[in-house]
């Protein structure tokens, strides 16, 4: 694997320093001296305590100095400390938001919530798109067809050797350079792309889409849950747990739910009226550029991870499957992919964490994600310490949640040994 | 398992490649037209790539505008006609601004020379015969020359303050110092994190996990906004130095995790043998464990260097005049507004040249290290 990025898949467990027993002397306090182990002298114990005390005092002293000077500086600049400012009214407008936001009425807390939702939106969209594109490119790089393999290789090299920020501003600039709505490019029926972003058909005020999405989520979770039960041997579902039945349920149930709820089912297709579009919904240039740029950049890394994963499966596995008379698709689905996933999931999860962190580059194209909102909040109120605290807490929480999810998935695909 | 075993007769496997099928025709048949599906893919790809190549060539070469009247002020009307393609005149007019930013025009040879020093130091560092103190001395001498050149104020060179630096020299500086200073920090943190001293270990864990959990841009932001708050009045660093500090802190956390991986991979017998020879902790680490650990993780360290080189572009967001920011400012002028793609392609090509050559070097090194083992 030649992933070039800050891949953070080194194991997290704390390590014994390669059997360097001399080191253990300093922890004599916390360990019982076993028979046959090195004898600890009281001098070592005392020096260990002294070293740690000195260290704690030094760090504490520096910390105290920093806190004291910061408080002093904040006081001399007339900035109040604490999170009370969250309930102050915001006067700046926010361009992209899932929930209503009126400048001059709503508070910083609500603005931050919008920022968090926007961060999650971008990260979610990018993770889905980059996984699909990356998987295709990664598999295509292994194609026996040289033209396909080499062009995918060129794509990967071109994309991953150029900074992601540059790619973002490039796509943003490109979208802004597109013709105005009246000369918009028609991608498909009802889909237009112009310098105002991507216009697409929508369903009413989004409630119908929300209901369909929620139902789909319920179906997916139910299937995962059922698969878990079956694996543990509690209930046997047999043929009920197959891909065709899943697809039928995943399509029919959301449609049925929308029909039952009585929401608008006729899509609101955008049409060109005069100088702008009527109807439909818009993906703003900022969000489009962000999703396109981040997806393309990350897809190159995902492609490399997928390729390394598939190459990591011993070729004897494929040969054995073929010798059993399995077709190429069954071989891929039942033999290659389950084993490749074990190699793919850990680096893929750190790639996803990278996407969430990279989504903060939204500030460069003017999309109001969490970082951008905190940024303008700090320049308005001057409460830098609180702002940075919010950023750190939010990103750490999201990162930990994603790692927990991916670790759970990793355990479910991991090799089960006695 | 009967479920997976087919009973139908399978078609015979394809014949092995006929040794007579050599030459261009045989090569084409093997690699591009080996089966119906392969032929279809080849044809579709040819169509797609042909179309893309035509669109790009048409825009970038055939309909491109290579120069515009520049005196007294650039007149970009030629680029704004309906059938004008790429406006390369922008690069022709602005390349010095993109490369060197606001550095005084007459003194830009100094910035160019600094860039040359950096560019010639990189391949020298790739030469394994020079690895060691010789290389360190070379770097110290090179960087000292760069600072004299960029700052001036001695030997008849005019003084150029830091806030006038910009473009490629700033990017190269941030990346080079980012690595050079993060490496010792990372070694210390990696040792600390694998140390048995609970206080040291906890502090290293907190530092590494905190930095790795948040985006680089928030570290840079902290460095630019919070840092002045931490320090008493009157004591302050320049913006560039603060960004550099942020980059070093960020890089140190990631590098230390990589180095810790290398420490884990060095067999325990090595340090035990060193200990039995009577070496103390620091000597064991310096002479026995670290050299092996660092060699093991050289390829991932190079990947991190590439990542860092690209990440230096983020300083644009806190308003530092690096290569990307210079490209962005170049098209902010009213005359050039609307021609972004050309400037970004130019800047992107420079980043690509650096990163791609580093990646090639890394891949070669990885192969050589694997062979050595």
């Amino acid at each position: 694997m030649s992933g070039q990025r800050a891949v953070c898949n080194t194991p997290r467990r704390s390590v014994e320093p390669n059997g360097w027993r001399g080191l253990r002397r300093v922890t004599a306090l916390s360990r019982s001296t076993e028979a046959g182990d090195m004898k600890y002298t009281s001098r070592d114990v005392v020096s260990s305590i002294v070293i740690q005390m000195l260290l704690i005092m030094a760090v504490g002293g520096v910390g105290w100095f920093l806190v004291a000077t910061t408080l002093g500086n904040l006081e001399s600049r007339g900035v109040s400390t604490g999170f009370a400012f969250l309930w102050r009214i915001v006067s700046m407008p926010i361009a992209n938001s899932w929930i209503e936001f009126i400048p001059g009425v709503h508070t910083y807390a609500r603005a931050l919530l919008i920022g968090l939702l926007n961060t999650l939106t971008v990260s979610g969209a990018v993770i889905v798109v980059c996984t699909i594109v990356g998987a295709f490119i990664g598999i295509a790089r292994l194609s026996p067809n040289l033209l396909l393999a080499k062009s995918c290789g060129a794509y990967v090299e071109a994309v991953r050797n150029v900074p992601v920020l540059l790619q973002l501003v490039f796509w943003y600039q490109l979208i802004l350079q597109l013709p105005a709505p009246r000369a918009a490019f028609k991608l498909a029926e009802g889909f237009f792309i112009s310098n105002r972003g991507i216009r697409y058909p929508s369903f009413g005020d989004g409630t119908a889409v929300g209901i369909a999405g929620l139902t789909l989520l319920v179906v997916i979770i139910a299937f995962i849950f059922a698969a878990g039960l079956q694996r543990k041997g509690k209930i046997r579902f047999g043929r009920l747990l197959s891909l065709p039945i899943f697809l039928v349920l995943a399509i029919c149930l959301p449609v049925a739910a929308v029909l039952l709820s009585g929401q608008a089912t006729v899509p609101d297709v955008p049409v060109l009226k005069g100088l702008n579009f009527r109807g439909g919904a818009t993906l703003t240039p900022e969000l489009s550029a962000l999703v396109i740029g981040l997806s393309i950049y990350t897809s190159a890394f995902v492609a490399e991870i997928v390729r390394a994963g598939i190459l990591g499966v011993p070729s004897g596995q494929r040969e054995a499957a073929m010798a059993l008379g399995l077709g190429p698709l069954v071989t891929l689905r039942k033999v290659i992919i389950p084993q490749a996933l074990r190699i793919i999931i850990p680096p893929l999860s750190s790639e996803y964490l990278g996407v969430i962190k990279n989504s903060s580059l939204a500030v460069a194209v003017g999309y109001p994600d969490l970082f951008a909102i905190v940024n303008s909040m700090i320049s308005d109120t001057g409460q830098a310490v609180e702002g940075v605290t919010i950023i750190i807490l939010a990103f750490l929480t999201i990162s930990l949640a994603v790692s927990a999810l991916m670790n759970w998935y990793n355990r479910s695909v991991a090799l089960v040994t006695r | 398992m009967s479920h997976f075993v087919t009973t139908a007769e399978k078609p015979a496997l394809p014949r092995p490649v006929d040794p007579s099928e050599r030459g261009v025709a045989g090569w084409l048949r093997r690699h591009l037209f080996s089966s119906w599906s392969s032929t279809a893919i080849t044809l579709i790809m040819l169509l797609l790539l042909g179309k893309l190549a035509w669109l790009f060539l048409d825009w970038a070469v055939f309909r491109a505008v290579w120069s515009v009247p520049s005196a007294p002020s650039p007149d970009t009307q030629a680029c704004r006609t309906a059938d004008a393609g790429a406006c390369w005149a922008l690069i022709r007019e602005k390349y010095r601004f993109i490369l060197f930013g606001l550095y005084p025009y007459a003194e830009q040879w100094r910035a160019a020379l600094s860039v040359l020093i950096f560019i010639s130091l990189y391949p020298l560092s790739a030469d394994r015969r020079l690895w060691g103190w010789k290389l360190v001395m070379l770097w110290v001498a090179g960087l000292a020359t760069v600072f004299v050149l960029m700052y001036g104020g001695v030997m008849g060179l005019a003084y150029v303050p830091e806030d006038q630096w910009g473009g490629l020299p700033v990017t190269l500086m941030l990346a080079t110092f980012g690595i050079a200073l993060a490496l010792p920090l990372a070694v210390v943190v990696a040792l600390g994190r694998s140390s048995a001293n609970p206080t040291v270990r906890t502090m290293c864990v907190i530092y590494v996990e905190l930095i790795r959990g948040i985006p680089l841009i928030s570290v840079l932001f902290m460095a630019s906004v919070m840092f002045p708050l931490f320090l008493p009045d009157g004591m302050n660093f320049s913006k560039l130095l603060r960004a550099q500090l942020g980059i070093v802190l960020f890089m140190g956390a990631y590098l230390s995790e990589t180095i810790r991986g290398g420490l884990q991979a060095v067999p325990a017998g090595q340090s035990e043998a060193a200990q039995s020879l009577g070496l103390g902790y620091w000597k064991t680490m310096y002479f026995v464990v670290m050299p092996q650990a660092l060699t093991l993780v050289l390829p991932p360290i190079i990947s991190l260097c590439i990542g860092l080189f690209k990440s230096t572009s983020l300083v644009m967001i806190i308003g530092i005049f690096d290569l990307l920011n210079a490209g962005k400012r170049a098209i902010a002028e009213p005359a050039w507004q609307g021609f972004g793609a050309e400037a970004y392609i130019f800047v992107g090509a420079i980043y690509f040249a650096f990163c791609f050559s580093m990646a090639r070097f890394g891949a070669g090194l990885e192969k050589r290290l694997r062979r050595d083992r």
Side-chain angles (χ1 to χ4, degrees):
Chain A
M1 197 191 83
S2 55
Q4 294 181 347
R5 191 112 151 272
V7 180
C8 13
N9 52 355
T10 39
R12 272 161 185 260
R13 66 204 151 80
S14 85
V15 236
E16 272 302 311
N18 317 316
W20 171 236
R21 272 153 192 262
L23 266 183
R24 289 211 194 131
R25 267 184 285 180
V26 278
T27 48
L29 271 188
S30 57
R31 276 164 213 252
S32 61
T33 339
E34 290 160 24
D37 210 352
M38 194 175 282
K39 282 273 181 284
Y40 300 111
T41 60
S42 57
R43 199 176 132 253
D44 290 328
V45 176
V46 172
S47 77
S48 156
I49 296 176
V50 169
I51 288 174
Q52 297 197 36
M53 294 280 274
L54 283 178
L55 212 65
I56 291 174
M57 270 157 62
V59 171
V62 172
W64 180 81
F65 171 75
L66 289 181
V67 170
T69 38
T70 309
L71 287 179
N73 280 334
L74 286 176
E75 202 176 345
S76 66
R77 284 168 210 203
V79 179
S80 59
T81 47
F83 286 91
F85 72 96
L86 284 178
W87 312 113
R88 257 189 257 161
I89 306 294
V90 192
S91 53
M92 58 172 184
I94 296 178
N96 290 261
S97 120
W98 288 116
I99 48 180
E100 194 187 23
F101 186 83
I102 308 164
V105 175
H106 288 127
T107 57
Y108 277 113
R110 198 180 175 98
L112 288 175
L113 178 66
I114 290 173
L116 185 65
L117 288 177
N118 283 342
T119 294
L120 292 176
T121 309
V122 172
S123 315
V126 171
I127 284 176
V128 170
V129 176
C130 79
T131 309
I132 296 171
V133 176
F136 272 107
I137 301 268
I139 293 172
R141 269 195 91 175
L142 295 169
S143 158
N145 185 312
L146 217 59
L147 186 63
L148 183 64
K150 291 287 171 198
S151 14
C152 290
Y155 168 86
V156 169
E157 288 301 336
V159 167
R160 70 175 180 178
N161 282 315
V162 175
V164 58
L165 183 60
L166 178 90
Q167 296 190 33
L168 283 183
V169 288
F170 173 79
W171 290 112
Y172 186 50
Q173 183 72 33
L174 217 60
I175 290 178
L176 292 185
Q177 278 178 335
L178 285 175
R182 70 195 135 79
F185 293 118
K186 196 173 181 182
L187 299 172
E189 196 54 54
F191 287 86
F192 296 94
I193 181 162
S194 69
N195 63 0
R196 304 268 178 89
I198 299 170
R199 195 86 178 182
Y200 57 94
S202 65
F203 291 91
D205 56 354
T207 323
V209 179
I211 291 174
L214 221 58
T215 324
L216 184 64
L217 202 67
V218 169
V219 172
I220 292 173
I221 290 175
F223 258 78
I224 293 176
F225 191 64
L229 281 181
Q230 174 155 312
R231 198 170 34 244
K232 282 181 193 151
K234 289 197 173 132
I235 312 170
R236 289 214 60 81
F237 291 97
R239 292 237 138 218
L240 273 176
L241 260 182
S242 62
L243 190 65
I245 292 191
F246 171 73
L247 286 180
V248 168
L249 284 180
I251 292 166
C252 292
L253 282 183
V255 172
V258 171
L259 287 177
L260 282 177
S261 71
Q263 287 289 332
T265 50
V266 184
D268 184 10
V269 181
V271 277
L272 193 61
K273 282 259 176 68
L275 288 178
N276 208 343
F277 296 106
R278 287 272 169 72
T282 315
L283 214 56
T284 57
E286 291 80 23
L287 184 57
S288 315
L290 200 56
V291 172
I292 293 173
L294 281 179
S295 300
I296 289 181
Y297 181 76
T298 319
S299 74
F301 292 93
V302 173
E304 282 300 276
I305 293 172
V306 168
R307 187 174 77 111
I310 292 177
L311 282 178
V313 177
S315 53
Q317 295 287 329
R318 176 191 293 271
E319 288 156 13
M322 281 164 80
L324 284 175
L326 304 189
L329 276 181
V330 182
T331 307
L332 197 67
R333 204 159 66 84
K334 294 280 182 191
V335 180
I336 306 290
I337 288 181
Q339 299 187 67
L341 274 182
R342 279 175 209 145
I343 310 173
I344 290 173
I345 297 300
L348 194 64
S349 42
S350 49
E351 206 52 56
Y352 287 170
L353 293 177
V355 168
I356 293 167
K357 285 183 250 166
N358 275 341
S359 73
S360 59
L361 296 181
V363 69
V365 294
Y367 178 76
D369 81 321
L370 184 65
F371 183 77
I373 291 205
V374 170
N375 203 353
S376 56
M377 186 183 85
I378 291 177
S379 55
D380 279 359
T381 63
Q383 298 198 292
V385 182
E386 291 82 357
V388 170
T389 312
I390 290 174
I391 289 276
I392 292 178
L393 285 183
F395 275 101
L396 281 182
T397 314
I398 302 175
S399 298
L400 286 178
V402 171
S403 337
L405 205 69
M406 291 302 279
N407 282 343
W408 171 77
Y409 183 62
N410 191 28
R411 265 199 304 281
S412 75
V413 296
L415 196 61
V416 181
T417 50
R418 273 172 290 146
Chain B
M1 285 308 282
S2 61
H3 180 60
F4 290 130
V5 177
T6 178
T7 49
E9 193 169 317
K10 299 293 284 184
L13 289 170
R15 271 182 314 119
V17 178
D18 191 341
S20 67
E21 270 203 2
R22 297 225 171 98
V24 177
W27 185 90
L28 282 178
R29 199 166 307 145
R30 269 204 311 285
H31 291 303
L32 297 178
F33 304 100
S34 57
S35 65
W36 278 113
S37 56
S38 182
T39 309
I41 290 174
T42 305
L43 292 179
I44 293 171
M45 288 301 291
L46 276 179
L47 264 175
L48 207 72
L49 290 179
K51 172 95 180 162
L52 277 176
W54 167 251
L55 279 177
F56 182 74
L57 281 179
D58 185 45
W59 176 78
V61 180
F62 302 140
R63 291 191 291 122
V65 179
W66 299 92
S67 61
V68 291
S70 60
S73 63
D75 174 21
T76 51
Q77 274 314 310
C79 288
R80 294 187 191 275
T81 54
D83 61 331
C87 189
W88 297 121
L90 164 73
I91 307 299
R92 201 191 178 105
E93 290 284 319
K94 287 280 180 189
Y95 77 100
R96 283 182 69 162
F97 180 80
I98 294 177
L99 286 178
F100 305 121
L102 293 172
Y103 209 80
Y105 197 81
E107 306 286 331
Q108 279 179 2
W109 60 270
R110 282 156 54 181
L113 211 57
S114 307
V115 170
L116 268 183
I117 291 176
F118 274 121
I119 293 179
S120 48
L121 278 174
Y122 294 142
L124 279 179
S125 320
D127 189 342
R128 286 220 273 178
R129 280 168 302 180
L130 286 175
W131 287 3
W133 284 109
K134 231 185 266 177
L135 192 65
V136 174
M137 297 320 290
L138 210 62
W139 269 104
V140 170
L143 293 179
T145 323
V146 164
F147 271 105
V148 169
L149 277 171
M150 291 297 286
Y151 267 119
V154 285
M155 289 187 292
L157 297 172
Y159 172 68
V160 179
E162 221 168 77
D163 50 357
Q164 288 182 19
W165 298 7
L168 193 53
V170 168
T171 293
L172 292 178
M173 247 178 221
L174 287 173
T176 308
F177 281 104
I179 292 291
L181 300 178
L183 204 59
L185 172 71
V187 167
V188 172
V189 172
L191 286 177
R193 203 175 165 177
S194 12
S195 142
N197 185 329
T199 318
V200 175
R201 203 173 51 220
T202 316
M203 285 191 309
C204 292
V205 168
I206 291 176
Y207 160 66
V208 169
E209 296 303 331
L210 199 66
I211 296 279
R212 293 201 324 160
I214 57 176
L216 171 58
I217 178 62
S218 54
V219 177
L220 287 176
F221 190 73
M222 257 191 263
S224 86
V225 176
M226 303 265 289
F227 214 76
L229 287 181
F230 287 156
L231 294 174
D233 271 340
M235 186 176 150
N236 210 349
F237 301 140
S238 73
K239 207 168 171 188
L240 192 63
L241 192 58
R242 293 202 303 258
Q244 182 74 73
L245 263 174
I247 287 180
V248 169
L249 279 181
F250 184 80
M251 192 63 187
Y254 281 87
L255 259 180
S256 81
E257 280 300 278
T258 311
I259 293 175
R260 194 165 66 94
L263 284 178
Q264 279 177 340
V266 177
Q270 294 290 327
S271 52
E272 283 166 5
Q275 197 195 357
S276 73
L277 285 176
L279 297 186
Y281 175 79
W282 293 108
K283 281 190 173 161
T284 306
M285 287 300 157
Y286 184 80
F287 290 112
V288 181
V289 177
M290 257 312 155
Q292 298 186 55
L294 287 180
T295 318
L296 277 175
V297 291
L298 255 184
I301 286 181
I302 290 171
S303 307
L304 279 176
C305 293
I306 298 172
L308 175 77
F309 191 86
K310 289 184 291 178
S311 300
T312 55
S313 59
L314 263 62
V315 297
M316 176 181 102
I317 297 176
I318 57 168
I320 283 173
F321 223 105
D322 75 321
L323 182 60
L324 179 57
N325 205 359
K328 197 181 173 198
R329 300 268 183 97
I331 51 172
E333 246 176 66
W336 296 105
Q337 256 170 23
F339 307 112
E342 294 86 345
Y344 291 134
I345 288 176
F346 178 67
V347 171
I350 297 176
Y351 275 110
F352 180 83
F354 279 101
C355 295
F356 189 67
S357 31
M358 263 191 275
R360 289 287 95 187
F361 168 68
L365 191 73
E366 197 171 357
K367 216 174 270 173
R368 208 159 53 221
L369 287 177
R370 206 178 294 146
R371 207 178 46 216
D372 287 356
R373 219 169 289 140

